[in-house]
Structure formats: C-alpha cells, structure tokens
Amino acid sequence: GAGVSQTPSNKVTEKGKYVELRCDPISGHTALYWYRQSLGQGPEFLIYFQGTGAADDSGLPNDRFFAVRPEGSVSTLKIQRTERGDSAVYLCASSPDRVNEQFFGPGTRLTVL
Amino acid sequence: AQSVTQLDSHVSVSEGTPVLLRCNYSSSYSPSLFWYVQHPNKGLQLLLKYTSAATLVKGINGFEAEFKKSETSFHLTKPSAHMSDAAEYFCVVRLERGGNQFYFGTGTSLTVIP
C-alpha cells in the first residue's frame, strides 16, 4: 500500500514569509508525528497527534510553529514569519497506534533565504 | 538530559567484516528502543525494535541488536557488512512518560570499504 507522503518535497522561501507543509499518513494510522532534521543531526520531535488532537506539542520551538490535523488524517505544519534558522528537513511519520514503530515520509526540505 | 547517545559519529568497515554501532540510553522507565536506517535521499526505514520481549532482536538485512538493561545499551550488529549497508543509522528511544516522544540519537554514518 501507499506509504507516508509529504508535499512539497522542496520549499524555498524568503525570510518573514509563511509556509505550509503537508503530510498524508498511511490510511488508518491514528498517530502522526512531525520532526525537524537539521544537517548532520538526528530528527528532533516537534508534535504528536492522536486522532485529531495534538496530544503532545512540547517539541514546537516557539509560537511561530503550529500544526493541525482537522479530520484525523492529513496534517499541515504551519510556520509563520520564517527565519533562516528554520531551514531543515521536516519529516512526518505515522503509526497504527502510540506504541508501535513509526513509518516515515520522505520529508520536505525547507530553505529560508 | 540526553536520552539516547550514539557513541560513534562515523564508523568505517571493510566489506565482509562485522559491524558494530553503539547506542546507550537513559531512562527511569522501561523504554522501547528502535534502530532506523537512512540512505541518501531516502526516507527513514525501521531496522528493528525492542519492546520488552526477547532481549536479542533480529531485524531486516541481517542486522540484530541486544538490549542490555544493566549496561543501558542497545548496540546494533551485523556479522558481515555489505556495500549496500552504507548509510546513516539512528538509535531511537521511546520513553514512557505523559507524552509520546521518540528521541533520536545524533546518528552514526557507516562507510563500507570494498
């Protein structure tokens, strides 16, 4: 079956702009995670959804970052007033439940000029 | 506090020789532990996982890892390296806390020399 997909694969924007990154999880997976991976680093947890609600958003770095999952499937990560330090690969993962392994998408590479 | 530590940022082995990638974790609870592999320009792929069953876990592509509670370690091994094993490897720990965070190590880059 289809895996986790993320769009766009690459996004270049200017400092101060607003961006949206989309994640389509595996059908039926209730858990969805967002991570940020900077160059040479491991993925860093941002937020976790169980169904429609954000069960844990403690990894969001500041209030410029926000994520939604209105129908419990597709999720959108939103970044306001982007900064150069936001440049990274943003990874999405889904899981059938909160205890099993996560299945990762290919990521969106965000570059803020 | 660092929850997972990968002791080597780079490991280089010759093709056909054993692979050892080291991982130590810190947790007050019984953790779930995972190893993921990331090939260049590819998504993260699960190699194996430990979730409080057998301490020796076998994964895909001939990899295995042993959970040692006394040493708080979960090292990844493979008896014989193949060229296709060259990639970045991440040790991941899931801590039993109020949230559901998975903590990634900083990664180990494996080079296989022909």
Side-chain angles (χ1 to χ4, degrees):
Chain A
V4 178
S5 62
Q6 293 185 245
T7 54
S9 55
N10 281 283
K11 176 70 176 178
V12 180
T13 191
E14 294 179 343
K15 181 176 178 293
K17 298 289 189 182
Y18 168 83
V19 297
E20 289 189 353
L21 312 179
R22 176 187 169 108
C23 172
D24 282 83
I26 293 172
S27 178
H29 281 192
T30 58
L32 185 146
Y33 305 79
W34 282 99
Y35 293 85
R36 178 170 67 177
Q37 186 174 20
S38 300
L39 192 63
Q41 300 294 318
E44 174 190 18
F45 171 82
L46 294 177
I47 188 170
Y48 154 63
F49 287 90
Q50 182 62 44
T52 60
D56 185 349
D57 64 357
S58 60
L60 295 177
N62 51 60
D63 60 6
R64 295 187 296 106
F65 288 74
F66 189 71
V68 295
R69 195 187 185 197
E71 298 178 357
S73 178
V74 171
S75 177
T76 305
L77 178 66
K78 309 181 181 194
I79 310 174
Q80 298 177 318
R81 305 183 303 281
T82 52
E83 299 177 357
R84 292 194 180 87
D86 298 335
S87 297
V89 175
Y90 289 81
L91 297 168
C92 175
S94 72
S95 179
D97 52 50
R98 65 184 293 274
V99 299
N100 278 301
E101 72 266 24
Q102 300 167 51
F103 295 82
F104 283 83
T108 294
R109 182 175 299 278
L110 175 66
T111 302
V112 182
L113 301 176
Chain B
Q2 185 71 29
S3 298
V4 57
T5 302
Q6 291 185 245
L7 297 161
D8 306 294
S9 58
H10 293 91
V11 170
S12 185
V13 300
S14 296
E15 189 177 16
T17 65
V19 176
L20 170 65
L21 305 183
R22 298 182 293 168
C23 173
N24 285 90
Y25 68 92
S26 58
S27 173
S28 301
Y29 309 93
S30 295
S32 296
L33 295 156
F34 309 79
W35 275 98
Y36 279 83
V37 61
Q38 188 174 38
H39 290 273
N41 300 315
K42 297 277 184 69
L44 285 156
Q45 180 185 18
L46 179 71
L47 279 178
L48 49 80
K49 64 179 180 180
Y50 166 77
T51 54
S52 76
T55 56
L56 182 62
V57 181
K58 294 188 183 299
I60 62 172
N61 300 334
F63 284 94
E64 62 182 39
E66 185 171 7
F67 172 68
K68 292 186 176 180
K69 187 174 181 178
S70 61
E71 299 176 8
T72 61
S73 70
F74 190 58
H75 301 333
L76 181 70
T77 60
K78 182 173 181 178
S80 176
H82 191 272
M83 294 299 295
S84 61
D85 294 329
E88 189 83 15
Y89 291 80
F90 293 97
C91 182
V92 184
V93 60
R94 175 181 172 271
L95 302 178
E96 293 289 343
R97 293 179 179 169
N100 194 47
Q101 294 196 23
F102 287 71
Y103 292 89
F104 280 73
T106 52
T108 298
S109 177
L110 177 66
T111 299
V112 182
I113 302 167

PDB file of all heavy atoms in Angstrom, chain A residues 33 35 37 42-43 45 48 56 58 91 98 100-102 104, chain B residues 34 36 38 44 46 49 90 94 99-102 104-106:
ATOM      1  N   TYR A  33       3.215  12.125  13.642  1.00  0.00           N
ATOM      2  CA  TYR A  33       4.304  12.863  14.269  1.00  0.00           C
ATOM      3  C   TYR A  33       4.957  13.795  13.246  1.00  0.00           C
ATOM      4  O   TYR A  33       5.085  13.443  12.071  1.00  0.00           O
ATOM      5  CB  TYR A  33       5.390  11.911  14.777  1.00  0.00           C
ATOM      6  CG  TYR A  33       4.915  10.829  15.704  1.00  0.00           C
ATOM      7  CD1 TYR A  33       4.278   9.691  15.210  1.00  0.00           C
ATOM      8  CD2 TYR A  33       5.125  10.917  17.076  1.00  0.00           C
ATOM      9  CE1 TYR A  33       3.845   8.685  16.052  1.00  0.00           C
ATOM     10  CE2 TYR A  33       4.709   9.903  17.936  1.00  0.00           C
ATOM     11  CZ  TYR A  33       4.070   8.805  17.406  1.00  0.00           C
ATOM     12  OH  TYR A  33       3.651   7.806  18.259  1.00  0.00           O
ATOM     13  N   TYR A  35       8.673  15.895  12.796  1.00  0.00           N
ATOM     14  CA  TYR A  35      10.039  16.054  13.265  1.00  0.00           C
ATOM     15  C   TYR A  35      10.740  17.086  12.388  1.00  0.00           C
ATOM     16  O   TYR A  35      10.357  17.310  11.249  1.00  0.00           O
ATOM     17  CB  TYR A  35      10.827  14.744  13.153  1.00  0.00           C
ATOM     18  CG  TYR A  35      10.364  13.632  14.053  1.00  0.00           C
ATOM     19  CD1 TYR A  35       9.331  12.784  13.670  1.00  0.00           C
ATOM     20  CD2 TYR A  35      10.968  13.411  15.289  1.00  0.00           C
ATOM     21  CE1 TYR A  35       8.911  11.747  14.498  1.00  0.00           C
ATOM     22  CE2 TYR A  35      10.560  12.381  16.117  1.00  0.00           C
ATOM     23  CZ  TYR A  35       9.541  11.550  15.710  1.00  0.00           C
ATOM     24  OH  TYR A  35       9.133  10.539  16.537  1.00  0.00           O
ATOM     25  N   GLN A  37      14.729  17.834  11.061  1.00  0.00           N
ATOM     26  CA  GLN A  37      16.078  17.297  11.000  1.00  0.00           C
ATOM     27  C   GLN A  37      17.006  18.324  10.373  1.00  0.00           C
ATOM     28  O   GLN A  37      16.912  18.606   9.177  1.00  0.00           O
ATOM     29  CB  GLN A  37      16.122  15.989  10.207  1.00  0.00           C
ATOM     30  CG  GLN A  37      17.479  15.307  10.225  1.00  0.00           C
ATOM     31  CD  GLN A  37      17.476  13.947   9.559  1.00  0.00           C
ATOM     32  OE1 GLN A  37      16.599  13.630   8.757  1.00  0.00           O
ATOM     33  NE2 GLN A  37      18.455  13.127   9.875  1.00  0.00           N
ATOM     34  N   GLY A  42      20.157  14.185  14.214  1.00  0.00           N
ATOM     35  CA  GLY A  42      19.026  13.286  14.174  1.00  0.00           C
ATOM     36  C   GLY A  42      17.733  14.063  14.189  1.00  0.00           C
ATOM     37  O   GLY A  42      17.698  15.237  14.568  1.00  0.00           O
ATOM     38  N   PRO A  43      16.644  13.442  13.770  1.00  0.00           N
ATOM     39  CA  PRO A  43      15.345  14.116  13.804  1.00  0.00           C
ATOM     40  C   PRO A  43      14.989  14.557  15.219  1.00  0.00           C
ATOM     41  O   PRO A  43      15.231  13.835  16.189  1.00  0.00           O
ATOM     42  CB  PRO A  43      14.378  13.042  13.300  1.00  0.00           C
ATOM     43  CG  PRO A  43      15.234  12.151  12.441  1.00  0.00           C
ATOM     44  CD  PRO A  43      16.559  12.123  13.135  1.00  0.00           C
ATOM     45  N   PHE A  45      11.907  15.840  17.679  1.00  0.00           N
ATOM     46  CA  PHE A  45      10.455  15.789  17.826  1.00  0.00           C
ATOM     47  C   PHE A  45       9.851  17.183  17.884  1.00  0.00           C
ATOM     48  O   PHE A  45      10.352  18.071  18.574  1.00  0.00           O
ATOM     49  CB  PHE A  45      10.112  15.030  19.112  1.00  0.00           C
ATOM     50  CG  PHE A  45       8.668  15.087  19.508  1.00  0.00           C
ATOM     51  CD1 PHE A  45       7.737  14.240  18.937  1.00  0.00           C
ATOM     52  CD2 PHE A  45       8.237  16.004  20.462  1.00  0.00           C
ATOM     53  CE1 PHE A  45       6.405  14.297  19.316  1.00  0.00           C
ATOM     54  CE2 PHE A  45       6.914  16.062  20.846  1.00  0.00           C
ATOM     55  CZ  PHE A  45       5.997  15.206  20.273  1.00  0.00           C
ATOM     56  N   TYR A  48       2.992  15.594  18.241  1.00  0.00           N
ATOM     57  CA  TYR A  48       2.375  14.278  18.071  1.00  0.00           C
ATOM     58  C   TYR A  48       0.866  14.435  18.124  1.00  0.00           C
ATOM     59  O   TYR A  48       0.326  15.080  19.023  1.00  0.00           O
ATOM     60  CB  TYR A  48       2.881  13.348  19.176  1.00  0.00           C
ATOM     61  CG  TYR A  48       1.974  12.202  19.549  1.00  0.00           C
ATOM     62  CD1 TYR A  48       1.652  11.213  18.625  1.00  0.00           C
ATOM     63  CD2 TYR A  48       1.479  12.086  20.847  1.00  0.00           C
ATOM     64  CE1 TYR A  48       0.847  10.145  18.988  1.00  0.00           C
ATOM     65  CE2 TYR A  48       0.672  11.029  21.209  1.00  0.00           C
ATOM     66  CZ  TYR A  48       0.357  10.058  20.281  1.00  0.00           C
ATOM     67  OH  TYR A  48      -0.437   9.003  20.635  1.00  0.00           O
ATOM     68  N   ASP A  56       0.638  15.954  22.161  1.00  0.00           N
ATOM     69  CA  ASP A  56       1.897  16.434  22.731  1.00  0.00           C
ATOM     70  C   ASP A  56       2.522  17.404  21.749  1.00  0.00           C
ATOM     71  O   ASP A  56       2.972  16.986  20.693  1.00  0.00           O
ATOM     72  CB  ASP A  56       2.822  15.254  22.997  1.00  0.00           C
ATOM     73  CG  ASP A  56       4.116  15.651  23.695  1.00  0.00           C
ATOM     74  OD1 ASP A  56       4.406  16.866  23.798  1.00  0.00           O
ATOM     75  OD2 ASP A  56       4.844  14.743  24.130  1.00  0.00           O
ATOM     76  N   SER A  58       4.918  19.624  22.831  1.00  0.00           N
ATOM     77  CA  SER A  58       6.005  20.197  23.622  1.00  0.00           C
ATOM     78  C   SER A  58       7.279  20.423  22.832  1.00  0.00           C
ATOM     79  O   SER A  58       8.179  21.138  23.284  1.00  0.00           O
ATOM     80  CB  SER A  58       6.298  19.302  24.823  1.00  0.00           C
ATOM     81  OG  SER A  58       6.682  18.016  24.396  1.00  0.00           O
ATOM     82  N   LEU A  91      10.170  16.164   8.692  1.00  0.00           N
ATOM     83  CA  LEU A  91       9.736  14.781   8.495  1.00  0.00           C
ATOM     84  C   LEU A  91       8.397  14.544   9.164  1.00  0.00           C
ATOM     85  O   LEU A  91       8.141  15.041  10.258  1.00  0.00           O
ATOM     86  CB  LEU A  91      10.760  13.812   9.090  1.00  0.00           C
ATOM     87  CG  LEU A  91      12.154  13.818   8.468  1.00  0.00           C
ATOM     88  CD1 LEU A  91      13.110  13.031   9.339  1.00  0.00           C
ATOM     89  CD2 LEU A  91      12.110  13.243   7.072  1.00  0.00           C
ATOM     90  N   ARG A  98       0.045   4.296  19.415  1.00  0.00           N
ATOM     91  CA  ARG A  98       1.095   5.082  20.056  1.00  0.00           C
ATOM     92  C   ARG A  98       2.293   4.260  20.494  1.00  0.00           C
ATOM     93  O   ARG A  98       3.286   4.820  20.934  1.00  0.00           O
ATOM     94  CB  ARG A  98       0.527   5.824  21.266  1.00  0.00           C
ATOM     95  CG  ARG A  98       0.055   4.927  22.388  1.00  0.00           C
ATOM     96  CD  ARG A  98      -0.582   5.759  23.492  1.00  0.00           C
ATOM     97  NE  ARG A  98       0.378   6.594  24.169  1.00  0.00           N
ATOM     98  CZ  ARG A  98       1.127   6.211  25.184  1.00  0.00           C
ATOM     99  NH1 ARG A  98       1.040   4.973  25.639  1.00  0.00           N
ATOM    100  NH2 ARG A  98       1.974   7.049  25.763  1.00  0.00           N
ATOM    101  N   ASN A 100       3.681   1.409  18.620  1.00  0.00           N
ATOM    102  CA  ASN A 100       4.442   0.724  17.581  1.00  0.00           C
ATOM    103  C   ASN A 100       5.359   1.655  16.817  1.00  0.00           C
ATOM    104  O   ASN A 100       5.375   2.864  17.023  1.00  0.00           O
ATOM    105  CB  ASN A 100       3.494   0.011  16.625  1.00  0.00           C
ATOM    106  CG  ASN A 100       3.064  -1.330  17.183  1.00  0.00           C
ATOM    107  OD1 ASN A 100       3.888  -2.185  17.457  1.00  0.00           O
ATOM    108  ND2 ASN A 100       1.770  -1.489  17.381  1.00  0.00           N
ATOM    109  N   GLU A 101       6.134   1.047  15.903  1.00  0.00           N
ATOM    110  CA  GLU A 101       7.103   1.837  15.164  1.00  0.00           C
ATOM    111  C   GLU A 101       6.406   2.835  14.262  1.00  0.00           C
ATOM    112  O   GLU A 101       5.244   2.682  13.901  1.00  0.00           O
ATOM    113  CB  GLU A 101       8.021   0.936  14.334  1.00  0.00           C
ATOM    114  CG  GLU A 101       7.360   0.292  13.129  1.00  0.00           C
ATOM    115  CD  GLU A 101       6.832  -1.089  13.454  1.00  0.00           C
ATOM    116  OE1 GLU A 101       6.557  -1.360  14.654  1.00  0.00           O
ATOM    117  OE2 GLU A 101       6.682  -1.891  12.530  1.00  0.00           O
ATOM    118  N   GLN A 102       7.169   3.855  13.902  1.00  0.00           N
ATOM    119  CA  GLN A 102       6.663   4.887  13.025  1.00  0.00           C
ATOM    120  C   GLN A 102       7.142   4.644  11.601  1.00  0.00           C
ATOM    121  O   GLN A 102       8.244   4.156  11.377  1.00  0.00           O
ATOM    122  CB  GLN A 102       7.167   6.247  13.496  1.00  0.00           C
ATOM    123  CG  GLN A 102       6.710   6.581  14.910  1.00  0.00           C
ATOM    124  CD  GLN A 102       7.445   7.757  15.476  1.00  0.00           C
ATOM    125  OE1 GLN A 102       7.545   8.809  14.860  1.00  0.00           O
ATOM    126  NE2 GLN A 102       7.988   7.591  16.662  1.00  0.00           N
ATOM    127  N   PHE A 104       7.998   6.608   8.199  1.00  0.00           N
ATOM    128  CA  PHE A 104       8.374   7.967   7.849  1.00  0.00           C
ATOM    129  C   PHE A 104       8.112   8.298   6.386  1.00  0.00           C
ATOM    130  O   PHE A 104       8.263   7.443   5.496  1.00  0.00           O
ATOM    131  CB  PHE A 104       9.859   8.202   8.148  1.00  0.00           C
ATOM    132  CG  PHE A 104      10.145   8.408   9.599  1.00  0.00           C
ATOM    133  CD1 PHE A 104      10.290   7.335  10.455  1.00  0.00           C
ATOM    134  CD2 PHE A 104      10.242   9.693  10.113  1.00  0.00           C
ATOM    135  CE1 PHE A 104      10.540   7.521  11.812  1.00  0.00           C
ATOM    136  CE2 PHE A 104      10.497   9.904  11.464  1.00  0.00           C
ATOM    137  CZ  PHE A 104      10.636   8.810  12.311  1.00  0.00           C
TER     138      PHE A 104
ATOM    139  N   PHE B  34      14.558   1.399  19.209  1.00  0.00           N
ATOM    140  CA  PHE B  34      14.481   1.153  17.770  1.00  0.00           C
ATOM    141  C   PHE B  34      15.816   1.525  17.118  1.00  0.00           C
ATOM    142  O   PHE B  34      16.547   2.373  17.618  1.00  0.00           O
ATOM    143  CB  PHE B  34      13.388   2.026  17.124  1.00  0.00           C
ATOM    144  CG  PHE B  34      12.032   1.956  17.780  1.00  0.00           C
ATOM    145  CD1 PHE B  34      11.765   2.666  18.935  1.00  0.00           C
ATOM    146  CD2 PHE B  34      11.022   1.191  17.224  1.00  0.00           C
ATOM    147  CE1 PHE B  34      10.513   2.616  19.542  1.00  0.00           C
ATOM    148  CE2 PHE B  34       9.765   1.132  17.819  1.00  0.00           C
ATOM    149  CZ  PHE B  34       9.519   1.842  18.976  1.00  0.00           C
ATOM    150  N   TYR B  36      16.817   2.802  13.213  1.00  0.00           N
ATOM    151  CA  TYR B  36      16.372   3.189  11.882  1.00  0.00           C
ATOM    152  C   TYR B  36      17.590   3.419  11.008  1.00  0.00           C
ATOM    153  O   TYR B  36      18.649   3.837  11.479  1.00  0.00           O
ATOM    154  CB  TYR B  36      15.554   4.483  11.934  1.00  0.00           C
ATOM    155  CG  TYR B  36      14.106   4.313  12.333  1.00  0.00           C
ATOM    156  CD1 TYR B  36      13.734   4.231  13.673  1.00  0.00           C
ATOM    157  CD2 TYR B  36      13.104   4.229  11.371  1.00  0.00           C
ATOM    158  CE1 TYR B  36      12.409   4.081  14.037  1.00  0.00           C
ATOM    159  CE2 TYR B  36      11.773   4.081  11.727  1.00  0.00           C
ATOM    160  CZ  TYR B  36      11.437   4.004  13.058  1.00  0.00           C
ATOM    161  OH  TYR B  36      10.114   3.856  13.421  1.00  0.00           O
ATOM    162  N   GLN B  38      18.882   5.385   7.333  1.00  0.00           N
ATOM    163  CA  GLN B  38      18.530   6.432   6.379  1.00  0.00           C
ATOM    164  C   GLN B  38      19.570   6.433   5.266  1.00  0.00           C
ATOM    165  O   GLN B  38      20.718   6.843   5.470  1.00  0.00           O
ATOM    166  CB  GLN B  38      18.475   7.800   7.060  1.00  0.00           C
ATOM    167  CG  GLN B  38      17.933   8.920   6.199  1.00  0.00           C
ATOM    168  CD  GLN B  38      17.771  10.222   6.983  1.00  0.00           C
ATOM    169  OE1 GLN B  38      18.591  10.566   7.834  1.00  0.00           O
ATOM    170  NE2 GLN B  38      16.700  10.962   6.713  1.00  0.00           N
ATOM    171  N   LEU B  44      13.525   7.442   6.272  1.00  0.00           N
ATOM    172  CA  LEU B  44      13.953   6.579   7.373  1.00  0.00           C
ATOM    173  C   LEU B  44      13.217   5.245   7.320  1.00  0.00           C
ATOM    174  O   LEU B  44      12.001   5.208   7.142  1.00  0.00           O
ATOM    175  CB  LEU B  44      13.659   7.265   8.705  1.00  0.00           C
ATOM    176  CG  LEU B  44      14.603   8.394   9.071  1.00  0.00           C
ATOM    177  CD1 LEU B  44      13.936   9.367  10.030  1.00  0.00           C
ATOM    178  CD2 LEU B  44      15.865   7.835   9.706  1.00  0.00           C
ATOM    179  N   LEU B  46      12.708   1.432   9.312  1.00  0.00           N
ATOM    180  CA  LEU B  46      12.919   0.682  10.544  1.00  0.00           C
ATOM    181  C   LEU B  46      13.746  -0.568  10.268  1.00  0.00           C
ATOM    182  O   LEU B  46      13.446  -1.345   9.368  1.00  0.00           O
ATOM    183  CB  LEU B  46      11.576   0.282  11.143  1.00  0.00           C
ATOM    184  CG  LEU B  46      11.648  -0.531  12.427  1.00  0.00           C
ATOM    185  CD1 LEU B  46      12.113   0.353  13.591  1.00  0.00           C
ATOM    186  CD2 LEU B  46      10.302  -1.170  12.752  1.00  0.00           C
ATOM    187  N   LYS B  49      13.210  -3.404  16.367  1.00  0.00           N
ATOM    188  CA  LYS B  49      12.694  -2.729  17.547  1.00  0.00           C
ATOM    189  C   LYS B  49      12.699  -3.669  18.744  1.00  0.00           C
ATOM    190  O   LYS B  49      12.568  -4.887  18.599  1.00  0.00           O
ATOM    191  CB  LYS B  49      11.267  -2.221  17.320  1.00  0.00           C
ATOM    192  CG  LYS B  49      10.251  -3.337  17.094  1.00  0.00           C
ATOM    193  CD  LYS B  49       8.847  -2.763  16.904  1.00  0.00           C
ATOM    194  CE  LYS B  49       7.840  -3.886  16.668  1.00  0.00           C
ATOM    195  NZ  LYS B  49       6.465  -3.367  16.472  1.00  0.00           N
ATOM    196  N   PHE B  90      20.287   5.510  12.994  1.00  0.00           N
ATOM    197  CA  PHE B  90      19.797   6.241  14.164  1.00  0.00           C
ATOM    198  C   PHE B  90      19.239   5.271  15.197  1.00  0.00           C
ATOM    199  O   PHE B  90      18.405   4.414  14.879  1.00  0.00           O
ATOM    200  CB  PHE B  90      18.699   7.226  13.775  1.00  0.00           C
ATOM    201  CG  PHE B  90      19.172   8.365  12.918  1.00  0.00           C
ATOM    202  CD1 PHE B  90      19.027   8.317  11.546  1.00  0.00           C
ATOM    203  CD2 PHE B  90      19.766   9.474  13.493  1.00  0.00           C
ATOM    204  CE1 PHE B  90      19.468   9.365  10.739  1.00  0.00           C
ATOM    205  CE2 PHE B  90      20.212  10.525  12.701  1.00  0.00           C
ATOM    206  CZ  PHE B  90      20.063  10.461  11.321  1.00  0.00           C
ATOM    207  N   ARG B  94      11.901   5.424  22.944  1.00  0.00           N
ATOM    208  CA  ARG B  94      10.587   5.951  23.299  1.00  0.00           C
ATOM    209  C   ARG B  94      10.441   5.786  24.807  1.00  0.00           C
ATOM    210  O   ARG B  94      10.538   4.684  25.321  1.00  0.00           O
ATOM    211  CB  ARG B  94       9.470   5.208  22.584  1.00  0.00           C
ATOM    212  CG  ARG B  94       8.086   5.653  23.010  1.00  0.00           C
ATOM    213  CD  ARG B  94       7.003   4.867  22.290  1.00  0.00           C
ATOM    214  NE  ARG B  94       5.696   5.163  22.836  1.00  0.00           N
ATOM    215  CZ  ARG B  94       5.142   4.509  23.850  1.00  0.00           C
ATOM    216  NH1 ARG B  94       5.766   3.499  24.417  1.00  0.00           N
ATOM    217  NH2 ARG B  94       3.947   4.859  24.289  1.00  0.00           N
ATOM    218  N   GLY B  99       3.768  12.225  27.662  1.00  0.00           N
ATOM    219  CA  GLY B  99       3.653  12.437  26.233  1.00  0.00           C
ATOM    220  C   GLY B  99       3.974  11.171  25.489  1.00  0.00           C
ATOM    221  O   GLY B  99       3.897  10.070  26.027  1.00  0.00           O
ATOM    222  N   ASN B 100       4.354  11.309  24.248  1.00  0.00           N
ATOM    223  CA  ASN B 100       4.702  10.142  23.463  1.00  0.00           C
ATOM    224  C   ASN B 100       5.891  10.478  22.596  1.00  0.00           C
ATOM    225  O   ASN B 100       5.861  10.269  21.394  1.00  0.00           O
ATOM    226  CB  ASN B 100       3.509   9.720  22.605  1.00  0.00           C
ATOM    227  CG  ASN B 100       3.701   8.334  22.042  1.00  0.00           C
ATOM    228  OD1 ASN B 100       4.081   7.426  22.760  1.00  0.00           O
ATOM    229  ND2 ASN B 100       3.459   8.177  20.765  1.00  0.00           N
ATOM    230  N   GLN B 101       6.946  10.969  23.206  1.00  0.00           N
ATOM    231  CA  GLN B 101       8.078  11.420  22.427  1.00  0.00           C
ATOM    232  C   GLN B 101       9.044  10.299  22.122  1.00  0.00           C
ATOM    233  O   GLN B 101       9.346   9.460  22.958  1.00  0.00           O
ATOM    234  CB  GLN B 101       8.815  12.525  23.186  1.00  0.00           C
ATOM    235  CG  GLN B 101       7.995  13.790  23.339  1.00  0.00           C
ATOM    236  CD  GLN B 101       8.843  14.967  23.721  1.00  0.00           C
ATOM    237  OE1 GLN B 101      10.042  14.983  23.484  1.00  0.00           O
ATOM    238  NE2 GLN B 101       8.239  15.979  24.313  1.00  0.00           N
ATOM    239  N   PHE B 102       9.506  10.317  20.898  1.00  0.00           N
ATOM    240  CA  PHE B 102      10.575   9.440  20.458  1.00  0.00           C
ATOM    241  C   PHE B 102      11.833  10.292  20.338  1.00  0.00           C
ATOM    242  O   PHE B 102      11.833  11.319  19.676  1.00  0.00           O
ATOM    243  CB  PHE B 102      10.244   8.816  19.096  1.00  0.00           C
ATOM    244  CG  PHE B 102       9.186   7.754  19.149  1.00  0.00           C
ATOM    245  CD1 PHE B 102       7.867   8.077  19.386  1.00  0.00           C
ATOM    246  CD2 PHE B 102       9.517   6.417  18.943  1.00  0.00           C
ATOM    247  CE1 PHE B 102       6.883   7.093  19.436  1.00  0.00           C
ATOM    248  CE2 PHE B 102       8.545   5.427  18.981  1.00  0.00           C
ATOM    249  CZ  PHE B 102       7.227   5.771  19.228  1.00  0.00           C
ATOM    250  N   PHE B 104      15.674  10.676  19.115  1.00  0.00           N
ATOM    251  CA  PHE B 104      16.663  10.157  18.184  1.00  0.00           C
ATOM    252  C   PHE B 104      18.071  10.488  18.661  1.00  0.00           C
ATOM    253  O   PHE B 104      18.319  11.588  19.178  1.00  0.00           O
ATOM    254  CB  PHE B 104      16.472  10.790  16.804  1.00  0.00           C
ATOM    255  CG  PHE B 104      15.372  10.166  15.989  1.00  0.00           C
ATOM    256  CD1 PHE B 104      14.042  10.378  16.307  1.00  0.00           C
ATOM    257  CD2 PHE B 104      15.672   9.368  14.887  1.00  0.00           C
ATOM    258  CE1 PHE B 104      13.022   9.809  15.556  1.00  0.00           C
ATOM    259  CE2 PHE B 104      14.670   8.793  14.128  1.00  0.00           C
ATOM    260  CZ  PHE B 104      13.350   9.014  14.467  1.00  0.00           C
ATOM    261  N   GLY B 105      18.990   9.551  18.457  1.00  0.00           N
ATOM    262  CA  GLY B 105      20.386   9.872  18.623  1.00  0.00           C
ATOM    263  C   GLY B 105      20.860  10.748  17.482  1.00  0.00           C
ATOM    264  O   GLY B 105      20.114  11.026  16.543  1.00  0.00           O
ATOM    265  N   THR B 106      22.096  11.175  17.563  1.00  0.00           N
ATOM    266  CA  THR B 106      22.637  12.072  16.543  1.00  0.00           C
ATOM    267  C   THR B 106      23.067  11.344  15.280  1.00  0.00           C
ATOM    268  O   THR B 106      23.433  11.970  14.299  1.00  0.00           O
ATOM    269  CB  THR B 106      23.820  12.873  17.092  1.00  0.00           C
ATOM    270  OG1 THR B 106      24.754  11.953  17.671  1.00  0.00           O
ATOM    271  CG2 THR B 106      23.358  13.854  18.158  1.00  0.00           C
TER     272      THR B 106
END
